[in-house]
Amino acid sequence: MQEQQSPALDLQRLVERCADTLAGVAFRDGERAGWLSWELTGDGRPTRMRAGNPTLYDGDAGTAWVCAELGVLLGRDDLVELAQRVMADTSTRAAQLPAGLLTGRAGVGLAQKRIEVLTGSRTAESLGVDLGWDGTPPGSADLTSGVAGLLVGDLTAAQAETALLLLERSAHGGPGGYCWPEPEAPDPLAGRPLCGLAHGNSGVVWALAETAARYEALAPRAGELIREALRWERSWFDPVRGRWPDLRTVPPSHPALWCHGAAGIGAVRLRLLALSGQGLELGLPLEELTAEAELAVQACGQVLADSVQLAQAQDPAALAGGLTLCHGLGGPLDVLLSAHRLWEVPEHLAAARSMAVAVADLLGQNPLDWPSGLSATGGSSLFLGLGGAALVLARAAYPDRIGSPALLGIR
């Protein structure tokens, strides 16, 4: 019994340390508050740290939501107050963003609602800031900045139907199912449709499933797209590797990441199974969904074990993404935790806890020195920094009190 309790206690101490760090590196300047974040080039290289990024993905909105979650979880009023203060400032700055989820206004609005639900109070008085969607079609279908991301946000039934229509019209159909290539891409490889959560079919599937669960009248149309999108993504599965490919390169790699690979794909399959268990009927073959979810969980567990073993053998590249959600081991850990939650398999929780503690021990005492998946450390954001890592660790320590960070807090 003691062996099962020790990782949980270690994780609770880790969560406290991460929470202290997030509170300590926040800046406060009059009415403004937030965190420094890396400014990235077009190919994702960090150039300098700056204040004022309001986004959910790697800016203040995501980190504020993390602080609200940790503040309520740990009973820390300082973190709750910080989250509310940052969110009030962030909402005004978000007015100039595009409409998308991870990189746009919809994500800031979602973070604000998450914080308000957690704390039971408004983050700010109405500032006349429109964080919604005006109906203008985004440039893509994906979760990050496109139509799928809007559906995960707080759309009305009429807006959701408009977004659904956009996905129906932009889907490329064929004998292998539906997919969504990037429109007007500079070259065919960059514009090809993808597997995965951030920019691929799994992101569209997740958004459609949440829409079907929220608006019953849209479920039949959403279900048809989901079935065809899953069929297309399933056709790319490599049974030898036991994973799905990242189609952005030739030859493709087969990662187990949140953004491209088994972690994001597995998180969506587990969510579809959970929704089916709650009564949502999408005409999906549950045996196939379960098999894919089990394969994704296996891939995530394997990459975690391999990464720890390689890092212990003095290979720092094994932990290049640290515990971050997007580029690191936070995504695979969250899949194990979701599998435990859905299937009530204690071995999944035990494995996630032991792996999380082992990785954190290898990364060192100072969370700001942990890798971010970028060629620099020091980020505090939800997907590229300490914020997401802290939330995954909190879910491992308190699995019944934290929703899935990989799916933006869904419980």
Side-chain angles (χ1 to χ4, degrees):
M1 187 68 176
Q2 183 61 32
E3 290 182 359
Q4 294 179 349
Q5 291 178 348
S6 180
L9 293 174
D10 290 340
L11 285 165
Q12 290 168 17
R13 297 187 189 101
L14 273 171
V15 172
E16 290 278 4
R17 193 192 315 161
C18 291
D20 289 341
T21 303
L22 288 172
V25 297
F27 73 83
R28 298 164 178 81
D29 181 16
E31 295 300 316
R32 297 196 62 195
W35 292 268
L36 297 178
S37 63
W38 283 108
E39 193 172 73
L40 305 178
T41 61
D43 58 357
R45 290 183 294 107
T47 56
R48 61 173 182 166
M49 297 197 88
R50 65 178 181 87
N53 179 358
T55 65
L56 182 68
Y57 181 75
D58 61 348
D60 288 340
T63 313
W65 167 49
V66 171
C67 284
E69 287 273 10
L70 297 181
V72 172
L73 175 72
L74 302 174
R76 289 187 51 168
D77 292 341
D78 62 322
L79 288 173
V80 172
E81 184 276 331
L82 176 61
Q84 293 174 322
R85 181 174 178 181
V86 171
M87 203 66 240
D89 179 37
T90 299
S91 297
T92 61
R93 287 183 276 118
Q96 304 305 315
L97 292 174
L101 180 70
L102 299 186
T103 58
R105 296 192 309 274
V108 177
L110 182 65
Q112 180 172 317
K113 288 186 179 298
R114 288 277 193 268
I115 293 170
E116 290 175 350
V117 169
L118 282 164
T119 62
S121 61
R122 298 217 23 163
T123 58
E125 294 299 322
S126 176
L127 300 171
V129 179
D130 181 12
L131 298 179
W133 179 43
D134 62 4
T136 303
S140 67
D142 70 7
L143 182 75
T144 297
S145 59
V147 180
L150 297 177
L151 282 171
V152 174
D154 189 33
L155 296 186
T156 65
Q159 289 175 321
E161 185 169 16
T162 299
L164 178 58
L165 180 61
L166 289 173
L167 287 176
E168 290 172 332
R169 289 176 174 175
S170 60
H172 284 222
Y178 292 169
C179 59
W180 287 266
E182 193 73 15
E184 300 179 4
D187 63 75
L189 184 60
R192 72 187 303 183
L194 300 173
C195 301
L197 186 52
H199 300 287
N201 267 33
S202 278
V204 178
V205 165
W206 176 44
L208 288 167
E210 299 299 340
T211 301
R214 185 183 302 171
Y215 299 116
E216 184 179 357
L218 300 180
R221 291 165 60 190
E224 180 183 357
L225 289 179
I226 288 172
R227 292 189 294 274
E228 291 299 310
L230 288 174
R231 191 159 66 92
W232 183 90
E233 198 165 58
R234 189 174 297 126
S235 72
W236 284 100
F237 178 75
D238 186 329
V240 175
R241 294 180 174 87
R243 300 187 190 180
W244 295 259
D246 180 352
L247 295 171
R248 296 174 299 168
T249 60
V250 177
S253 59
H254 293 76
L257 299 174
W258 175 89
C259 47
H260 300 276
I265 290 170
V268 172
R269 300 308 184 273
L270 290 166
R271 178 60 178 163
L272 290 172
L273 288 169
L275 288 172
S276 296
Q278 294 167 18
L280 180 63
E281 179 54 60
L282 295 172
L284 298 173
L286 296 185
E287 295 82 2
E288 286 186 345
L289 273 182
T290 301
E292 289 182 342
E294 289 174 343
L295 288 165
V297 171
Q298 182 178 353
C300 289
Q302 189 64 57
V303 78
L304 285 162
D306 290 347
S307 297
V308 169
Q309 184 176 11
L310 288 170
Q312 289 172 339
Q314 308 304 311
D315 182 0
L319 300 181
L323 285 164
T324 55
L325 268 177
C326 190
H327 298 161
L329 298 176
L333 279 170
D334 194 60
V335 167
L336 293 188
L337 295 167
S338 292
H340 161 71
R341 182 77 173 170
L342 178 65
W343 293 325
E344 298 181 345
V345 177
E347 289 81 4
H348 290 323
L349 177 60
R353 283 176 164 173
S354 64
M355 292 294 179
V357 171
V359 172
D361 286 345
L362 289 163
L363 294 180
Q365 288 294 308
N366 185 359
L368 283 182
D369 291 336
W370 292 356
S372 64
L374 304 171
S375 57
T377 60
S380 58
S381 68
L382 176 59
F383 278 95
L384 296 179
L386 178 58
L391 212 51
V392 172
L393 292 171
R395 193 182 189 205
Y398 306 94
D400 297 329
R401 297 184 60 189
I402 298 288
S404 169
L407 298 182
L408 302 178
I410 284 180
R411 300 179 186 273

